[in-house]
Amino acid sequence: MKSFNHFMTIPLAHRGLHNQQLDENSLGAFKAAIEHGYGIELDVHPLKDGGLVVVHDTNLKRVTGVDVNVETLSEEDLKKYPLLLSKEKIPTLKEVFDLVAGKFPILVELKVEGKFNPELPSRVLKLLENYPKTDNIAIQSFNPYAMKYLKEKDAPYPLGQLVSNKLDGQSKFVCWLFRTLNVLKISRAEFIAFDIKYLPSRPVKRYRRKGYPILTWTIDDEEKLLRARKYADNIIFETVNIDK
């Protein structure tokens, strides 16, 4: 495995192909992405009972209207907090895997809160043991130690470093590590997912010349789309027509 070809050629729908009727990171949004022939980017948090939940924020207020930390919940608890638009249950990663069944690319972002704990990447690897062995899984995180851990475990999936030049709450040194891509010396990631707001970037250009695949996010208007096509290899997108 370890082929990244599909992630270089098939655009990735950011948190699924969501809209005013379909919530982000919902099974409905993922089905819509598949129906349009797109890959999927999604976010994963650990649940307290050992499961994995697909949601972006740690706090569910924005997507459910309820002020609760998702990592304090069990899979059974998720039924109590339907998504605001569709009233769907927040999906587990297993439910998304069952839906996609290896047929389309899934880019899994590990949402590491606070100090790195190997529990989250370990659970993802365990779940993937029963997933179809295709080239349609890649894993990424802002936390370089999550990628380093997976690298040391010989994870058979492409591993990516998420990067932005601005990281709220981080020290000047950490921001420098990311801006210069020196963070790759920690993560040893095999591809870079770079914030479109800061492209073009000299470090990104340098790594692209070395052969590193470059994804960019979040492409949500025509100007960003044009810039992404010039400075990156593929896009993570939402709310923009990419088929023109």
Side-chain angles (χ1 to χ4, degrees), residues 132-150:
K133 298 301 185 281
T134 69
D135 295 334
N136 280 332
I137 290 288
I139 306 174
Q140 64 178 2
S141 182
F142 273 104
N143 191 300
Y145 297 100
M147 295 300 95
K148 180 182 179 183
Y149 173 84
L150 290 172

Side-chain angles (χ1 to χ4, degrees), residues 71-82:
E71 296 187 5
T72 67
L73 304 179
S74 67
E75 184 174 342
E76 183 66 23
D77 291 333
L78 295 178
K79 298 175 183 178
K80 305 173 187 176
Y81 307 100

Side-chain angles (χ1 to χ4, degrees), residues 185-227:
K185 295 178 181 178
I186 300 172
S187 66
R188 297 165 59 205
E190 298 146 347
F191 69 92
I192 299 164
F194 201 87
D195 188 344
I196 186 62
K197 293 194 294 287
Y198 304 104
L199 287 178
S201 156
R202 287 183 180 178
V204 169
K205 186 177 181 180
R206 184 171 67 249
Y207 271 90
R208 197 178 184 198
R209 283 200 303 263
K210 291 180 180 179
Y212 271 75
I214 307 296
L215 305 184
T216 188
W217 52 275
T218 302
I219 309 308
D220 55 12
D221 63 38
E222 294 294 333
E223 186 278 329
K224 289 177 184 174
L225 181 59
L226 291 172
R227 193 153 29 104

Side-chain angles (χ1 to χ4, degrees), residues 18-236:
H18 56 93
N19 54 35
Q20 293 181 344
Q21 289 79 43
L22 298 173
D23 303 86
E24 66 178 55
N25 278 325
S26 67
L27 288 181
F30 299 139
K31 289 175 184 176
I34 291 170
E35 288 168 1
H36 285 78
Y38 301 135
I40 292 165
E41 182 269 354
L42 54 76
D43 310 282
V44 177
H45 285 268
L47 291 166
K48 73 173 184 179
D49 60 358
L52 295 162
V53 62
V54 178
V55 67
H56 181 270
D57 303 350
T58 305
N59 189 288
L60 295 184
K61 178 73 173 179
R62 182 177 63 85
V63 294
T64 69
V66 183
D67 184 6
V68 62
N69 183 330
V70 73
E71 296 187 5
T72 67
L73 304 179
S74 67
E75 184 174 342
E76 183 66 23
D77 291 333
L78 295 178
K79 298 175 183 178
K80 305 173 187 176
Y81 307 100
L83 293 164
L84 285 173
L85 298 176
S86 63
K87 306 306 178 185
E88 286 185 32
K89 181 181 76 71
I90 302 170
T92 64
L93 186 58
K94 183 180 186 305
E95 288 170 333
V96 179
F97 282 174
D98 288 345
L99 170 70
V100 180
K103 297 175 183 177
F104 287 84
I106 301 178
L107 178 55
V108 177
E109 179 182 344
L110 305 182
K111 304 298 285 188
V112 178
E113 303 296 330
K115 187 176 180 181
F116 172 66
N117 184 322
E119 185 67 23
L120 177 55
S122 294
R123 289 187 198 179
V124 171
L125 282 184
K126 183 68 176 176
L127 185 61
L128 281 167
E129 287 179 2
N130 297 318
Y131 195 69
K133 298 301 185 281
T134 69
D135 295 334
N136 280 332
I137 290 288
I139 306 174
Q140 64 178 2
S141 182
F142 273 104
N143 191 300
Y145 297 100
M147 295 300 95
K148 180 182 179 183
Y149 173 84
L150 290 172
K151 192 84 170 179
E152 291 171 348
K153 292 294 181 180
D154 294 322
Y157 310 101
L159 304 174
Q161 180 65 56
L162 273 158
V163 180
S164 178
N165 284 4
K166 183 179 181 182
L167 300 168
D168 293 336
Q170 297 296 329
S171 68
K172 289 183 179 179
F173 175 69
V174 169
C175 290
W176 173 84
L177 278 177
F178 277 76
R179 184 176 66 253
T180 60
L181 296 183
N182 279 298
V183 68
L184 293 171
K185 295 178 181 178
I186 300 172
S187 66
R188 297 165 59 205
E190 298 146 347
F191 69 92
I192 299 164
F194 201 87
D195 188 344
I196 186 62
K197 293 194 294 287
Y198 304 104
L199 287 178
S201 156
R202 287 183 180 178
V204 169
K205 186 177 181 180
R206 184 171 67 249
Y207 271 90
R208 197 178 184 198
R209 283 200 303 263
K210 291 180 180 179
Y212 271 75
I214 307 296
L215 305 184
T216 188
W217 52 275
T218 302
I219 309 308
D220 55 12
D221 63 38
E222 294 294 333
E223 186 278 329
K224 289 177 184 174
L225 181 59
L226 291 172
R227 193 153 29 104
R229 286 173 169 165
K230 185 174 182 180
Y231 297 111
D233 299 303
N234 201 7
I235 60 171
I236 300 169

